[in-house]
Amino acid sequence: MSDQKQRVFSGIQPSGNLTIGNYLGALKNWVAVQQENENFFCIVDLHAITVPQDPKVLAEKIREVAAIYLAVGLDPRHCTIFRQSAVPGHTELAWLLNCVARFGELSRMTQFKDKTVRGGSDSASAGLFTYPVLMAADILLYNADLVPVGDDQRQHLELSRTIARRFNHTYGETFVVPKPMILSAGARVMGLDDPTVKMSKSAGSPGHYIAILDEPDVIRKKVRRAKTDSGSEVTATADKPAITNLLDIYSATTGRTIPELEDEYEGRGYGDLKRDLGDAVAEALAPIRTRALELLSDPAELDSLLAAGSEKAREASAPVLRDARSRMGLG
Ligand code: ATP
Ligand code: LTN
């Protein structure tokens, strides 16, 4: 193996309260791989505005995401933490790549379809439609090798790879073709109130999700009220989507395997599982909450961390943007 570090890029939208889905599907894995790589972890505020946001709330959420990045254990010595909108290269490259991506490809993106089911695609913003191109720009701008994300981002990652390959083929070798990094446990946490939809920070009532910043007692209560399936056996089977989801959260939170957990709860009911799971999640998130609240009490410090991160991100991305422009004849 070469001792050259791999580049890692990922991001989360400041579009609501970060959930245990964001933690288990993304953040936990970022922390796990940070030491052996060179990392760029972005607060993707330009993605958040593809759907309406209250400007005041958005500004607060941006800081909150920065605090959570630090509180889960991301270390600024290993990671560049920054805001997408502070690095103009993201939007500039997105435009170049908008001219490489195809309308048909974007029309097939399931996230766009899911997010426009209710209101219809006619009234969706054009930004929501080209969202995956901005995501490709985020990743390609840093020549990232690895992108740790939850399972819902698989299709967007595949599109980023297609765009990188097409650009390289048309204009000459420019971009690294990035690889997704998706772990098995916790890659797709489902809603507590409805195990058929992905848990999401911007949809549903508070009972739908566990927020990283929820108080321990609130977490226990939400788990207690989570939907269950008919029957009483604690097994992760296709006819038990709700219990399967609870076991998946349990497994990803504690590192214990699902068969181990099924054995432990054999002959016991859903009530026992929920009580222990509520305790395990509350215990795992409590120190993160405490640290995040401490960090949020000093907004100037968070702002200065983000300013330093943006500066580093601008420097790292400038040569790639210059190269892409010049390959297209815009040097
Ligand atoms: P929104 O509801 O605003 O669309 P979201 O919380 O679904 O947002 P993002 O901010 O777009 O998601 O996601 C950030 C990261 O968290 C991505 O890597 C995504 O795959 C991961 N993620 C989001 N929700 C889940 C989930 N329920 N299970 C596992 N991973 C998730
Ligand atoms: N689309 C992502 C958020 C995101 C992202 C990225 C993830 C925007 N840019 C770059 C990884 C790499 C989502 O999770 N919905």
Side-chain angles (χ1 to χ4, degrees), residues 223 228 233-235 242-247 250 261-262 265 268-279:
V223 173
T228 49
E233 268 172 62
V234 177
T235 49
I243 297 301
T244 302
N245 187 39
L246 297 182
L247 284 169
Y250 206 166
L261 294 168
E262 285 174 331
Y265 289 93
R268 297 163 67 193
Y270 295 159
D272 279 11
L273 171 73
K274 282 179 158 184
R275 191 197 53 230
D276 296 349
L277 173 62
D279 286 344

mmCIF file with all atom_site columns, all heavy atoms in Angstrom, residues 223 228 233-235 242-247 250 261-262 265 268-279:
data_model
loop_
_atom_site.group_PDB
_atom_site.id
_atom_site.type_symbol
_atom_site.label_atom_id
_atom_site.label_alt_id
_atom_site.label_comp_id
_atom_site.label_asym_id
_atom_site.label_entity_id
_atom_site.label_seq_id
_atom_site.pdbx_PDB_ins_code
_atom_site.Cartn_x
_atom_site.Cartn_y
_atom_site.Cartn_z
_atom_site.occupancy
_atom_site.B_iso_or_equiv
_atom_site.pdbx_formal_charge
_atom_site.auth_seq_id
_atom_site.auth_comp_id
_atom_site.auth_asym_id
_atom_site.auth_atom_id
_atom_site.pdbx_PDB_model_num
ATOM 1   N N   . VAL A 1 223 ? -38.291 6.141   21.586 1.00 0.00 ? 223 VAL A N   1
ATOM 2   C CA  . VAL A 1 223 ? -38.083 4.714   21.279 1.00 0.00 ? 223 VAL A CA  1
ATOM 3   C C   . VAL A 1 223 ? -39.255 3.901   21.823 1.00 0.00 ? 223 VAL A C   1
ATOM 4   O O   . VAL A 1 223 ? -39.762 2.998   21.159 1.00 0.00 ? 223 VAL A O   1
ATOM 5   C CB  . VAL A 1 223 ? -36.730 4.209   21.832 1.00 0.00 ? 223 VAL A CB  1
ATOM 6   C CG1 . VAL A 1 223 ? -36.605 2.699   21.656 1.00 0.00 ? 223 VAL A CG1 1
ATOM 7   C CG2 . VAL A 1 223 ? -35.564 4.925   21.155 1.00 0.00 ? 223 VAL A CG2 1
ATOM 8   N N   . THR A 1 228 ? -44.299 -0.769  16.255 1.00 0.00 ? 228 THR A N   1
ATOM 9   C CA  . THR A 1 228 ? -43.786 -2.153  16.214 1.00 0.00 ? 228 THR A CA  1
ATOM 10  C C   . THR A 1 228 ? -44.626 -2.956  15.232 1.00 0.00 ? 228 THR A C   1
ATOM 11  O O   . THR A 1 228 ? -45.566 -2.426  14.632 1.00 0.00 ? 228 THR A O   1
ATOM 12  C CB  . THR A 1 228 ? -43.859 -2.828  17.606 1.00 0.00 ? 228 THR A CB  1
ATOM 13  O OG1 . THR A 1 228 ? -45.158 -2.612  18.133 1.00 0.00 ? 228 THR A OG1 1
ATOM 14  C CG2 . THR A 1 228 ? -42.815 -2.287  18.551 1.00 0.00 ? 228 THR A CG2 1
ATOM 15  N N   . GLU A 1 233 ? -42.113 -11.775 18.741 1.00 0.00 ? 233 GLU A N   1
ATOM 16  C CA  . GLU A 1 233 ? -40.712 -12.201 18.718 1.00 0.00 ? 233 GLU A CA  1
ATOM 17  C C   . GLU A 1 233 ? -39.792 -11.137 18.150 1.00 0.00 ? 233 GLU A C   1
ATOM 18  O O   . GLU A 1 233 ? -40.116 -10.502 17.141 1.00 0.00 ? 233 GLU A O   1
ATOM 19  C CB  . GLU A 1 233 ? -40.582 -13.464 17.868 1.00 0.00 ? 233 GLU A CB  1
ATOM 20  C CG  . GLU A 1 233 ? -40.697 -14.721 18.695 1.00 0.00 ? 233 GLU A CG  1
ATOM 21  C CD  . GLU A 1 233 ? -40.748 -15.922 17.791 1.00 0.00 ? 233 GLU A CD  1
ATOM 22  O OE1 . GLU A 1 233 ? -39.754 -16.127 17.065 1.00 0.00 ? 233 GLU A OE1 1
ATOM 23  O OE2 . GLU A 1 233 ? -41.792 -16.590 17.794 1.00 0.00 ? 233 GLU A OE2 1
ATOM 24  N N   . VAL A 1 234 ? -38.641 -10.988 18.781 1.00 0.00 ? 234 VAL A N   1
ATOM 25  C CA  . VAL A 1 234 ? -37.669 -9.987  18.348 1.00 0.00 ? 234 VAL A CA  1
ATOM 26  C C   . VAL A 1 234 ? -36.765 -10.603 17.276 1.00 0.00 ? 234 VAL A C   1
ATOM 27  O O   . VAL A 1 234 ? -35.730 -11.202 17.574 1.00 0.00 ? 234 VAL A O   1
ATOM 28  C CB  . VAL A 1 234 ? -36.851 -9.476  19.561 1.00 0.00 ? 234 VAL A CB  1
ATOM 29  C CG1 . VAL A 1 234 ? -35.789 -8.489  19.113 1.00 0.00 ? 234 VAL A CG1 1
ATOM 30  C CG2 . VAL A 1 234 ? -37.788 -8.838  20.587 1.00 0.00 ? 234 VAL A CG2 1
ATOM 31  N N   . THR A 1 235 ? -37.199 -10.475 16.020 1.00 0.00 ? 235 THR A N   1
ATOM 32  C CA  . THR A 1 235 ? -36.404 -11.035 14.920 1.00 0.00 ? 235 THR A CA  1
ATOM 33  C C   . THR A 1 235 ? -36.361 -10.041 13.761 1.00 0.00 ? 235 THR A C   1
ATOM 34  O O   . THR A 1 235 ? -37.331 -9.318  13.517 1.00 0.00 ? 235 THR A O   1
ATOM 35  C CB  . THR A 1 235 ? -37.023 -12.358 14.393 1.00 0.00 ? 235 THR A CB  1
ATOM 36  O OG1 . THR A 1 235 ? -38.422 -12.130 14.166 1.00 0.00 ? 235 THR A OG1 1
ATOM 37  C CG2 . THR A 1 235 ? -36.848 -13.498 15.366 1.00 0.00 ? 235 THR A CG2 1
ATOM 38  N N   . ALA A 1 242 ? -40.469 -2.919  11.318 1.00 0.00 ? 242 ALA A N   1
ATOM 39  C CA  . ALA A 1 242 ? -40.242 -1.997  12.441 1.00 0.00 ? 242 ALA A CA  1
ATOM 40  C C   . ALA A 1 242 ? -39.199 -2.575  13.406 1.00 0.00 ? 242 ALA A C   1
ATOM 41  O O   . ALA A 1 242 ? -38.266 -1.883  13.825 1.00 0.00 ? 242 ALA A O   1
ATOM 42  C CB  . ALA A 1 242 ? -41.557 -1.713  13.169 1.00 0.00 ? 242 ALA A CB  1
ATOM 43  N N   . ILE A 1 243 ? -39.342 -3.855  13.741 1.00 0.00 ? 243 ILE A N   1
ATOM 44  C CA  . ILE A 1 243 ? -38.385 -4.490  14.665 1.00 0.00 ? 243 ILE A CA  1
ATOM 45  C C   . ILE A 1 243 ? -37.013 -4.600  14.000 1.00 0.00 ? 243 ILE A C   1
ATOM 46  O O   . ILE A 1 243 ? -35.975 -4.397  14.633 1.00 0.00 ? 243 ILE A O   1
ATOM 47  C CB  . ILE A 1 243 ? -38.923 -5.878  15.119 1.00 0.00 ? 243 ILE A CB  1
ATOM 48  C CG1 . ILE A 1 243 ? -40.232 -5.707  15.904 1.00 0.00 ? 243 ILE A CG1 1
ATOM 49  C CG2 . ILE A 1 243 ? -37.879 -6.627  15.947 1.00 0.00 ? 243 ILE A CG2 1
ATOM 50  C CD1 . ILE A 1 243 ? -40.137 -4.840  17.163 1.00 0.00 ? 243 ILE A CD1 1
ATOM 51  N N   . THR A 1 244 ? -37.008 -4.871  12.703 1.00 0.00 ? 244 THR A N   1
ATOM 52  C CA  . THR A 1 244 ? -35.734 -4.930  11.970 1.00 0.00 ? 244 THR A CA  1
ATOM 53  C C   . THR A 1 244 ? -35.011 -3.593  12.077 1.00 0.00 ? 244 THR A C   1
ATOM 54  O O   . THR A 1 244 ? -33.802 -3.547  12.313 1.00 0.00 ? 244 THR A O   1
ATOM 55  C CB  . THR A 1 244 ? -35.992 -5.273  10.479 1.00 0.00 ? 244 THR A CB  1
ATOM 56  O OG1 . THR A 1 244 ? -36.692 -6.518  10.426 1.00 0.00 ? 244 THR A OG1 1
ATOM 57  C CG2 . THR A 1 244 ? -34.695 -5.378  9.696  1.00 0.00 ? 244 THR A CG2 1
ATOM 58  N N   . ASN A 1 245 ? -35.770 -2.514  11.937 1.00 0.00 ? 245 ASN A N   1
ATOM 59  C CA  . ASN A 1 245 ? -35.164 -1.174  12.036 1.00 0.00 ? 245 ASN A CA  1
ATOM 60  C C   . ASN A 1 245 ? -34.603 -0.938  13.443 1.00 0.00 ? 245 ASN A C   1
ATOM 61  O O   . ASN A 1 245 ? -33.482 -0.434  13.588 1.00 0.00 ? 245 ASN A O   1
ATOM 62  C CB  . ASN A 1 245 ? -36.217 -0.118  11.680 1.00 0.00 ? 245 ASN A CB  1
ATOM 63  C CG  . ASN A 1 245 ? -35.646 1.282   11.586 1.00 0.00 ? 245 ASN A CG  1
ATOM 64  O OD1 . ASN A 1 245 ? -34.534 1.477   11.077 1.00 0.00 ? 245 ASN A OD1 1
ATOM 65  N ND2 . ASN A 1 245 ? -36.368 2.257   12.094 1.00 0.00 ? 245 ASN A ND2 1
ATOM 66  N N   . LEU A 1 246 ? -35.365 -1.310  14.466 1.00 0.00 ? 246 LEU A N   1
ATOM 67  C CA  . LEU A 1 246 ? -34.878 -1.104  15.840 1.00 0.00 ? 246 LEU A CA  1
ATOM 68  C C   . LEU A 1 246 ? -33.607 -1.930  16.078 1.00 0.00 ? 246 LEU A C   1
ATOM 69  O O   . LEU A 1 246 ? -32.644 -1.457  16.697 1.00 0.00 ? 246 LEU A O   1
ATOM 70  C CB  . LEU A 1 246 ? -35.969 -1.465  16.868 1.00 0.00 ? 246 LEU A CB  1
ATOM 71  C CG  . LEU A 1 246 ? -37.242 -0.604  16.816 1.00 0.00 ? 246 LEU A CG  1
ATOM 72  C CD1 . LEU A 1 246 ? -38.232 -1.016  17.921 1.00 0.00 ? 246 LEU A CD1 1
ATOM 73  C CD2 . LEU A 1 246 ? -36.931 0.894   16.936 1.00 0.00 ? 246 LEU A CD2 1
ATOM 74  N N   . LEU A 1 247 ? -33.590 -3.157  15.561 1.00 0.00 ? 247 LEU A N   1
ATOM 75  C CA  . LEU A 1 247 ? -32.392 -3.995  15.735 1.00 0.00 ? 247 LEU A CA  1
ATOM 76  C C   . LEU A 1 247 ? -31.202 -3.408  14.974 1.00 0.00 ? 247 LEU A C   1
ATOM 77  O O   . LEU A 1 247 ? -30.066 -3.445  15.452 1.00 0.00 ? 247 LEU A O   1
ATOM 78  C CB  . LEU A 1 247 ? -32.675 -5.427  15.263 1.00 0.00 ? 247 LEU A CB  1
ATOM 79  C CG  . LEU A 1 247 ? -33.520 -6.271  16.235 1.00 0.00 ? 247 LEU A CG  1
ATOM 80  C CD1 . LEU A 1 247 ? -33.970 -7.568  15.567 1.00 0.00 ? 247 LEU A CD1 1
ATOM 81  C CD2 . LEU A 1 247 ? -32.740 -6.591  17.528 1.00 0.00 ? 247 LEU A CD2 1
ATOM 82  N N   . TYR A 1 250 ? -29.873 -0.591  16.952 1.00 0.00 ? 250 TYR A N   1
ATOM 83  C CA  . TYR A 1 250 ? -29.195 -1.157  18.132 1.00 0.00 ? 250 TYR A CA  1
ATOM 84  C C   . TYR A 1 250 ? -27.813 -1.670  17.729 1.00 0.00 ? 250 TYR A C   1
ATOM 85  O O   . TYR A 1 250 ? -26.790 -1.391  18.379 1.00 0.00 ? 250 TYR A O   1
ATOM 86  C CB  . TYR A 1 250 ? -30.054 -2.304  18.684 1.00 0.00 ? 250 TYR A CB  1
ATOM 87  C CG  . TYR A 1 250 ? -29.887 -2.603  20.154 1.00 0.00 ? 250 TYR A CG  1
ATOM 88  C CD1 . TYR A 1 250 ? -30.825 -3.408  20.817 1.00 0.00 ? 250 TYR A CD1 1
ATOM 89  C CD2 . TYR A 1 250 ? -28.813 -2.103  20.894 1.00 0.00 ? 250 TYR A CD2 1
ATOM 90  C CE1 . TYR A 1 250 ? -30.699 -3.703  22.168 1.00 0.00 ? 250 TYR A CE1 1
ATOM 91  C CE2 . TYR A 1 250 ? -28.680 -2.402  22.245 1.00 0.00 ? 250 TYR A CE2 1
ATOM 92  C CZ  . TYR A 1 250 ? -29.622 -3.204  22.873 1.00 0.00 ? 250 TYR A CZ  1
ATOM 93  O OH  . TYR A 1 250 ? -29.493 -3.498  24.207 1.00 0.00 ? 250 TYR A OH  1
ATOM 94  N N   . LEU A 1 261 ? -28.098 -10.086 18.959 1.00 0.00 ? 261 LEU A N   1
ATOM 95  C CA  . LEU A 1 261 ? -29.213 -9.396  19.619 1.00 0.00 ? 261 LEU A CA  1
ATOM 96  C C   . LEU A 1 261 ? -30.475 -10.250 19.579 1.00 0.00 ? 261 LEU A C   1
ATOM 97  O O   . LEU A 1 261 ? -31.212 -10.329 20.568 1.00 0.00 ? 261 LEU A O   1
ATOM 98  C CB  . LEU A 1 261 ? -29.454 -8.030  18.956 1.00 0.00 ? 261 LEU A CB  1
ATOM 99  C CG  . LEU A 1 261 ? -28.307 -7.022  19.144 1.00 0.00 ? 261 LEU A CG  1
ATOM 100 C CD1 . LEU A 1 261 ? -28.485 -5.805  18.229 1.00 0.00 ? 261 LEU A CD1 1
ATOM 101 C CD2 . LEU A 1 261 ? -28.233 -6.557  20.604 1.00 0.00 ? 261 LEU A CD2 1
ATOM 102 N N   . GLU A 1 262 ? -30.702 -10.916 18.439 1.00 0.00 ? 262 GLU A N   1
ATOM 103 C CA  . GLU A 1 262 ? -31.888 -11.796 18.350 1.00 0.00 ? 262 GLU A CA  1
ATOM 104 C C   . GLU A 1 262 ? -31.806 -12.881 19.419 1.00 0.00 ? 262 GLU A C   1
ATOM 105 O O   . GLU A 1 262 ? -32.812 -13.184 20.081 1.00 0.00 ? 262 GLU A O   1
ATOM 106 C CB  . GLU A 1 262 ? -31.967 -12.436 16.962 1.00 0.00 ? 262 GLU A CB  1
ATOM 107 C CG  . GLU A 1 262 ? -32.430 -11.476 15.881 1.00 0.00 ? 262 GLU A CG  1
ATOM 108 C CD  . GLU A 1 262 ? -32.368 -12.086 14.480 1.00 0.00 ? 262 GLU A CD  1
ATOM 109 O OE1 . GLU A 1 262 ? -31.515 -12.974 14.245 1.00 0.00 ? 262 GLU A OE1 1
ATOM 110 O OE2 . GLU A 1 262 ? -33.163 -11.677 13.622 1.00 0.00 ? 262 GLU A OE2 1
ATOM 111 N N   . TYR A 1 265 ? -32.667 -11.550 22.919 1.00 0.00 ? 265 TYR A N   1
ATOM 112 C CA  . TYR A 1 265 ? -34.079 -11.213 23.192 1.00 0.00 ? 265 TYR A CA  1
ATOM 113 C C   . TYR A 1 265 ? -35.025 -12.368 22.916 1.00 0.00 ? 265 TYR A C   1
ATOM 114 O O   . TYR A 1 265 ? -36.240 -12.195 22.933 1.00 0.00 ? 265 TYR A O   1
ATOM 115 C CB  . TYR A 1 265 ? -34.479 -9.940  22.429 1.00 0.00 ? 265 TYR A CB  1
ATOM 116 C CG  . TYR A 1 265 ? -33.809 -8.741  23.058 1.00 0.00 ? 265 TYR A CG  1
ATOM 117 C CD1 . TYR A 1 265 ? -32.585 -8.279  22.576 1.00 0.00 ? 265 TYR A CD1 1
ATOM 118 C CD2 . TYR A 1 265 ? -34.346 -8.139  24.183 1.00 0.00 ? 265 TYR A CD2 1
ATOM 119 C CE1 . TYR A 1 265 ? -31.932 -7.227  23.189 1.00 0.00 ? 265 TYR A CE1 1
ATOM 120 C CE2 . TYR A 1 265 ? -33.703 -7.094  24.820 1.00 0.00 ? 265 TYR A CE2 1
ATOM 121 C CZ  . TYR A 1 265 ? -32.496 -6.642  24.309 1.00 0.00 ? 265 TYR A CZ  1
ATOM 122 O OH  . TYR A 1 265 ? -31.847 -5.615  24.945 1.00 0.00 ? 265 TYR A OH  1
ATOM 123 N N   . ARG A 1 268 ? -38.196 -12.967 24.984 1.00 0.00 ? 268 ARG A N   1
ATOM 124 C CA  . ARG A 1 268 ? -38.569 -11.720 25.675 1.00 0.00 ? 268 ARG A CA  1
ATOM 125 C C   . ARG A 1 268 ? -39.373 -10.861 24.687 1.00 0.00 ? 268 ARG A C   1
ATOM 126 O O   . ARG A 1 268 ? -39.364 -11.115 23.499 1.00 0.00 ? 268 ARG A O   1
ATOM 127 C CB  . ARG A 1 268 ? -37.307 -10.990 26.126 1.00 0.00 ? 268 ARG A CB  1
ATOM 128 C CG  . ARG A 1 268 ? -36.514 -11.809 27.138 1.00 0.00 ? 268 ARG A CG  1
ATOM 129 C CD  . ARG A 1 268 ? -35.084 -11.332 27.293 1.00 0.00 ? 268 ARG A CD  1
ATOM 130 N NE  . ARG A 1 268 ? -34.998 -10.014 27.885 1.00 0.00 ? 268 ARG A NE  1
ATOM 131 C CZ  . ARG A 1 268 ? -33.875 -9.273  27.899 1.00 0.00 ? 268 ARG A CZ  1
ATOM 132 N NH1 . ARG A 1 268 ? -32.769 -9.734  27.349 1.00 0.00 ? 268 ARG A NH1 1
ATOM 133 N NH2 . ARG A 1 268 ? -33.859 -8.087  28.447 1.00 0.00 ? 268 ARG A NH2 1
ATOM 134 N N   . GLY A 1 269 ? -40.030 -9.854  25.165 1.00 0.00 ? 269 GLY A N   1
ATOM 135 C CA  . GLY A 1 269 ? -40.924 -9.119  24.261 1.00 0.00 ? 269 GLY A CA  1
ATOM 136 C C   . GLY A 1 269 ? -40.326 -7.855  23.675 1.00 0.00 ? 269 GLY A C   1
ATOM 137 O O   . GLY A 1 269 ? -39.165 -7.534  23.923 1.00 0.00 ? 269 GLY A O   1
ATOM 138 N N   . TYR A 1 270 ? -41.140 -7.134  22.913 1.00 0.00 ? 270 TYR A N   1
ATOM 139 C CA  . TYR A 1 270 ? -40.723 -5.863  22.304 1.00 0.00 ? 270 TYR A CA  1
ATOM 140 C C   . TYR A 1 270 ? -40.387 -4.817  23.373 1.00 0.00 ? 270 TYR A C   1
ATOM 141 O O   . TYR A 1 270 ? -39.540 -3.958  23.175 1.00 0.00 ? 270 TYR A O   1
ATOM 142 C CB  . TYR A 1 270 ? -41.825 -5.296  21.413 1.00 0.00 ? 270 TYR A CB  1
ATOM 143 C CG  . TYR A 1 270 ? -42.170 -6.125  20.177 1.00 0.00 ? 270 TYR A CG  1
ATOM 144 C CD1 . TYR A 1 270 ? -43.406 -5.960  19.534 1.00 0.00 ? 270 TYR A CD1 1
ATOM 145 C CD2 . TYR A 1 270 ? -41.259 -7.033  19.650 1.00 0.00 ? 270 TYR A CD2 1
ATOM 146 C CE1 . TYR A 1 270 ? -43.723 -6.679  18.399 1.00 0.00 ? 270 TYR A CE1 1
ATOM 147 C CE2 . TYR A 1 270 ? -41.584 -7.762  18.514 1.00 0.00 ? 270 TYR A CE2 1
ATOM 148 C CZ  . TYR A 1 270 ? -42.819 -7.588  17.897 1.00 0.00 ? 270 TYR A CZ  1
ATOM 149 O OH  . TYR A 1 270 ? -43.130 -8.297  16.778 1.00 0.00 ? 270 TYR A OH  1
ATOM 150 N N   . GLY A 1 271 ? -41.104 -4.906  24.517 1.00 0.00 ? 271 GLY A N   1
ATOM 151 C CA  . GLY A 1 271 ? -40.926 -3.912  25.586 1.00 0.00 ? 271 GLY A CA  1
ATOM 152 C C   . GLY A 1 271 ? -39.487 -3.893  26.092 1.00 0.00 ? 271 GLY A C   1
ATOM 153 O O   . GLY A 1 271 ? -38.888 -2.830  26.266 1.00 0.00 ? 271 GLY A O   1
ATOM 154 N N   . ASP A 1 272 ? -38.928 -5.094  26.316 1.00 0.00 ? 272 ASP A N   1
ATOM 155 C CA  . ASP A 1 272 ? -37.534 -5.192  26.794 1.00 0.00 ? 272 ASP A CA  1
ATOM 156 C C   . ASP A 1 272 ? -36.575 -4.596  25.777 1.00 0.00 ? 272 ASP A C   1
ATOM 157 O O   . ASP A 1 272 ? -35.651 -3.864  26.105 1.00 0.00 ? 272 ASP A O   1
ATOM 158 C CB  . ASP A 1 272 ? -37.147 -6.664  27.010 1.00 0.00 ? 272 ASP A CB  1
ATOM 159 C CG  . ASP A 1 272 ? -37.664 -7.188  28.341 1.00 0.00 ? 272 ASP A CG  1
ATOM 160 O OD1 . ASP A 1 272 ? -38.481 -6.486  28.960 1.00 0.00 ? 272 ASP A OD1 1
ATOM 161 O OD2 . ASP A 1 272 ? -37.237 -8.286  28.746 1.00 0.00 ? 272 ASP A OD2 1
ATOM 162 N N   . LEU A 1 273 ? -36.799 -4.957  24.516 1.00 0.00 ? 273 LEU A N   1
ATOM 163 C CA  . LEU A 1 273 ? -35.923 -4.449  23.446 1.00 0.00 ? 273 LEU A CA  1
ATOM 164 C C   . LEU A 1 273 ? -35.950 -2.924  23.436 1.00 0.00 ? 273 LEU A C   1
ATOM 165 O O   . LEU A 1 273 ? -34.899 -2.272  23.401 1.00 0.00 ? 273 LEU A O   1
ATOM 166 C CB  . LEU A 1 273 ? -36.394 -4.988  22.084 1.00 0.00 ? 273 LEU A CB  1
ATOM 167 C CG  . LEU A 1 273 ? -35.700 -4.353  20.875 1.00 0.00 ? 273 LEU A CG  1
ATOM 168 C CD1 . LEU A 1 273 ? -34.262 -4.843  20.756 1.00 0.00 ? 273 LEU A CD1 1
ATOM 169 C CD2 . LEU A 1 273 ? -36.459 -4.647  19.575 1.00 0.00 ? 273 LEU A CD2 1
ATOM 170 N N   . LYS A 1 274 ? -37.145 -2.363  23.482 1.00 0.00 ? 274 LYS A N   1
ATOM 171 C CA  . LYS A 1 274 ? -37.267 -0.902  23.405 1.00 0.00 ? 274 LYS A CA  1
ATOM 172 C C   . LYS A 1 274 ? -36.620 -0.225  24.598 1.00 0.00 ? 274 LYS A C   1
ATOM 173 O O   . LYS A 1 274 ? -35.975 0.821   24.450 1.00 0.00 ? 274 LYS A O   1
ATOM 174 C CB  . LYS A 1 274 ? -38.745 -0.510  23.329 1.00 0.00 ? 274 LYS A CB  1
ATOM 175 C CG  . LYS A 1 274 ? -39.350 -0.706  21.955 1.00 0.00 ? 274 LYS A CG  1
ATOM 176 C CD  . LYS A 1 274 ? -40.804 -0.312  22.031 1.00 0.00 ? 274 LYS A CD  1
ATOM 177 C CE  . LYS A 1 274 ? -41.369 0.046   20.688 1.00 0.00 ? 274 LYS A CE  1
ATOM 178 N NZ  . LYS A 1 274 ? -42.761 0.519   20.818 1.00 0.00 ? 274 LYS A NZ  1
ATOM 179 N N   . ARG A 1 275 ? -36.779 -0.824  25.781 1.00 0.00 ? 275 ARG A N   1
ATOM 180 C CA  . ARG A 1 275 ? -36.194 -0.202  26.979 1.00 0.00 ? 275 ARG A CA  1
ATOM 181 C C   . ARG A 1 275 ? -34.666 -0.177  26.847 1.00 0.00 ? 275 ARG A C   1
ATOM 182 O O   . ARG A 1 275 ? -34.024 0.859   27.015 1.00 0.00 ? 275 ARG A O   1
ATOM 183 C CB  . ARG A 1 275 ? -36.617 -0.978  28.228 1.00 0.00 ? 275 ARG A CB  1
ATOM 184 C CG  . ARG A 1 275 ? -36.279 -0.248  29.529 1.00 0.00 ? 275 ARG A CG  1
ATOM 185 C CD  . ARG A 1 275 ? -36.319 -1.165  30.735 1.00 0.00 ? 275 ARG A CD  1
ATOM 186 N NE  . ARG A 1 275 ? -35.484 -2.338  30.495 1.00 0.00 ? 275 ARG A NE  1
ATOM 187 C CZ  . ARG A 1 275 ? -35.887 -3.605  30.680 1.00 0.00 ? 275 ARG A CZ  1
ATOM 188 N NH1 . ARG A 1 275 ? -37.076 -3.877  31.135 1.00 0.00 ? 275 ARG A NH1 1
ATOM 189 N NH2 . ARG A 1 275 ? -35.061 -4.610  30.420 1.00 0.00 ? 275 ARG A NH2 1
ATOM 190 N N   . ASP A 1 276 ? -34.074 -1.306  26.468 1.00 0.00 ? 276 ASP A N   1
ATOM 191 C CA  . ASP A 1 276 ? -32.609 -1.372  26.375 1.00 0.00 ? 276 ASP A CA  1
ATOM 192 C C   . ASP A 1 276 ? -32.085 -0.515  25.229 1.00 0.00 ? 276 ASP A C   1
ATOM 193 O O   . ASP A 1 276 ? -31.042 0.124   25.337 1.00 0.00 ? 276 ASP A O   1
ATOM 194 C CB  . ASP A 1 276 ? -32.157 -2.827  26.186 1.00 0.00 ? 276 ASP A CB  1
ATOM 195 C CG  . ASP A 1 276 ? -32.511 -3.684  27.401 1.00 0.00 ? 276 ASP A CG  1
ATOM 196 O OD1 . ASP A 1 276 ? -32.910 -3.111  28.437 1.00 0.00 ? 276 ASP A OD1 1
ATOM 197 O OD2 . ASP A 1 276 ? -32.401 -4.927  27.301 1.00 0.00 ? 276 ASP A OD2 1
ATOM 198 N N   . LEU A 1 277 ? -32.817 -0.520  24.119 1.00 0.00 ? 277 LEU A N   1
ATOM 199 C CA  . LEU A 1 277 ? -32.379 0.297   22.972 1.00 0.00 ? 277 LEU A CA  1
ATOM 200 C C   . LEU A 1 277 ? -32.434 1.779   23.334 1.00 0.00 ? 277 LEU A C   1
ATOM 201 O O   . LEU A 1 277 ? -31.494 2.528   23.038 1.00 0.00 ? 277 LEU A O   1
ATOM 202 C CB  . LEU A 1 277 ? -33.269 0.009   21.748 1.00 0.00 ? 277 LEU A CB  1
ATOM 203 C CG  . LEU A 1 277 ? -33.028 0.911   20.544 1.00 0.00 ? 277 LEU A CG  1
ATOM 204 C CD1 . LEU A 1 277 ? -31.597 0.744   20.020 1.00 0.00 ? 277 LEU A CD1 1
ATOM 205 C CD2 . LEU A 1 277 ? -34.027 0.599   19.413 1.00 0.00 ? 277 LEU A CD2 1
ATOM 206 N N   . GLY A 1 278 ? -33.526 2.201   23.987 1.00 0.00 ? 278 GLY A N   1
ATOM 207 C CA  . GLY A 1 278 ? -33.656 3.602   24.413 1.00 0.00 ? 278 GLY A CA  1
ATOM 208 C C   . GLY A 1 278 ? -32.471 3.992   25.286 1.00 0.00 ? 278 GLY A C   1
ATOM 209 O O   . GLY A 1 278 ? -31.855 5.051   25.089 1.00 0.00 ? 278 GLY A O   1
ATOM 210 N N   . ASP A 1 279 ? -32.111 3.111   26.229 1.00 0.00 ? 279 ASP A N   1
ATOM 211 C CA  . ASP A 1 279 ? -30.965 3.398   27.108 1.00 0.00 ? 279 ASP A CA  1
ATOM 212 C C   . ASP A 1 279 ? -29.665 3.479   26.311 1.00 0.00 ? 279 ASP A C   1
ATOM 213 O O   . ASP A 1 279 ? -28.851 4.379   26.519 1.00 0.00 ? 279 ASP A O   1
ATOM 214 C CB  . ASP A 1 279 ? -30.820 2.298   28.181 1.00 0.00 ? 279 ASP A CB  1
ATOM 215 C CG  . ASP A 1 279 ? -31.901 2.407   29.258 1.00 0.00 ? 279 ASP A CG  1
ATOM 216 O OD1 . ASP A 1 279 ? -32.549 3.467   29.349 1.00 0.00 ? 279 ASP A OD1 1
ATOM 217 O OD2 . ASP A 1 279 ? -32.094 1.420   30.004 1.00 0.00 ? 279 ASP A OD2 1
#
